[in-house]
Amino acid sequence: THGNALQHNATQRNILQHTACEQVALLLSALCINFGHDGKNNEYHERTMSERALRHNSNSIQQNVAASGILTDMHSNESINIFAHLEKDEYLGIRKMMVNLILGSDPRNFFGVIHDFKGALSSSGATVNSRHLEPCLFMQVMLNAADLSNAVKDFPCAQKWAKNHQQELFLQGDHETKLGLTTSPMCDRLRDRSHFASSQEEHLRCVVLPVFDLLGLALPTVAAECVPAIKGNQTLWKREIALSLTSATAY
């Protein structure tokens, strides 16, 4: 499948030139990126001054929950502490990378990471094999791309994931309404349901495709497999928009 292209590239050490510790940190960060997530975004917790927001000072709230939660659980439970056999320096290095990677997945940090990656690629034509491309920066882009990779899957699967995410947003909107708050963008069942297809096409055009286009400059497999899949899904979302407009007109 197209979605496996990222995983395929991520395992090719001769391409990524990553140390074993860096590979472990990237893999574990991908597995743990949504650990402890409660289905609400950072803005919700900040607006409601939730316990999570207070504990993490409204700073990358859900990402801090994930990073601190999984690392604390492993540290306190020997049965799941996969770091127990490592030297202290190795453990601290992996831990630091995991924290940086997971916090870097905060949407507020997303465009800064992509901007830095674009700059690294454009300066003297850097590629993944080049010493000019910072490994941690590349791993952050890979993790963000993996977090967006539902859009790369075959359309029926991508559409199902998108609808599930929409329901999660609507549940957040329900909570906001009960609290007397204005609903966050795309969280209002009545207001935003009819904009579903157009919001998905816009998400692919403005967020997903630019990331994978950049990543494709460094990883040919991404350019060959993922980018065409995204463009194909973008076309299908445009078809859904046209169908919804036709139905609305007929009604």
Side-chain angles (χ1 to χ4, degrees), residues 191-203:
R191 181 190 66 207
D192 298 320
R193 188 183 300 276
S194 61
H195 305 306
F196 174 61
S198 60
S199 68
Q200 292 303 311
E201 191 279 328
E202 182 180 12
H203 178 62

Side-chain angles (χ1 to χ4, degrees), residues 150 154-164 196 237 240:
N150 289 329
D154 292 340
F155 187 71
C157 185
Q159 186 180 43
K160 183 177 181 179
W161 275 101
K163 288 181 177 180
N164 287 341
F196 174 61
W237 281 119
E240 293 293 313

Side-chain angles (χ1 to χ4, degrees), residues 11-224:
T11 58
Q12 297 184 58
R13 183 173 179 179
N14 62 318
I15 293 179
L16 299 184
Q17 296 292 305
H18 282 173
T19 67
C21 287
E22 288 169 340
Q23 292 184 50
V24 168
L26 178 59
L27 176 60
L28 291 178
S29 296
L31 291 172
C32 303
I33 192 172
N34 288 316
F35 181 82
H37 202 290
D38 64 352
K40 301 177 181 66
N41 60 29
N42 288 337
E43 287 70 23
Y44 172 89
H45 285 285
E46 189 169 351
R47 293 173 71 199
T48 60
M49 292 302 291
S50 69
E51 187 272 338
R52 292 183 178 214
L54 293 172
R55 186 194 313 162
H56 299 293
N57 298 314
S58 297
N59 179 36
S60 300
I61 300 165
Q62 296 286 31
Q63 292 72 33
N64 266 303
V65 167
S68 63
I70 191 63
L71 290 169
T72 299
D73 283 359
M74 284 196 287
H75 185 74
S76 60
N77 187 341
E78 292 184 1
S79 67
I80 62 172
N81 187 5
I82 61 175
F83 300 134
H85 67 287
L86 296 179
E87 297 292 335
K88 185 176 182 179
D89 288 347
E90 288 180 317
Y91 163 68
L92 291 176
I94 291 175
R95 182 183 184 279
K96 181 178 180 179
M97 283 187 283
M98 285 183 64
V99 170
N100 289 337
L101 287 169
I102 293 173
L103 295 188
S105 68
D106 183 344
R108 290 182 178 178
N109 300 328
F110 174 82
F111 288 104
V113 170
I114 299 306
H115 178 270
D116 291 346
F117 184 64
K118 184 176 183 179
L121 285 174
S122 61
S123 62
S124 70
T127 66
V128 175
N129 284 317
S130 172
R131 70 185 65 180
H132 301 295
L133 188 56
E134 178 64 36
C136 288
L137 174 61
F138 178 76
M139 289 193 295
Q140 281 189 320
V141 176
M142 284 289 288
L143 187 60
N144 276 291
D147 203 27
L148 297 169
S149 64
N150 289 329
V152 187
K153 301 182 186 298
D154 292 340
F155 187 71
C157 185
Q159 186 180 43
K160 183 177 181 179
W161 275 101
K163 288 181 177 180
N164 287 341
H165 184 237
Q166 181 191 47
Q167 289 306 310
E168 185 177 274
L169 293 175
F170 285 167
L171 288 173
Q172 174 177 313
D174 294 343
H175 284 285
E176 290 170 335
T177 299
K178 289 178 181 178
L179 293 172
L181 301 172
T182 56
T183 51
S184 298
M186 302 310 301
C187 291
D188 191 302
R189 290 182 184 273
L190 298 178
R191 181 190 66 207
D192 298 320
R193 188 183 300 276
S194 61
H195 305 306
F196 174 61
S198 60
S199 68
Q200 292 303 311
E201 191 279 328
E202 182 180 12
H203 178 62
L204 264 62
R205 174 167 39 87
C206 298
V207 178
V208 180
L209 194 55
V211 172
F212 279 82
D213 275 336
L214 278 177
L215 200 54
L217 297 176
L219 298 175
T221 305
V222 171

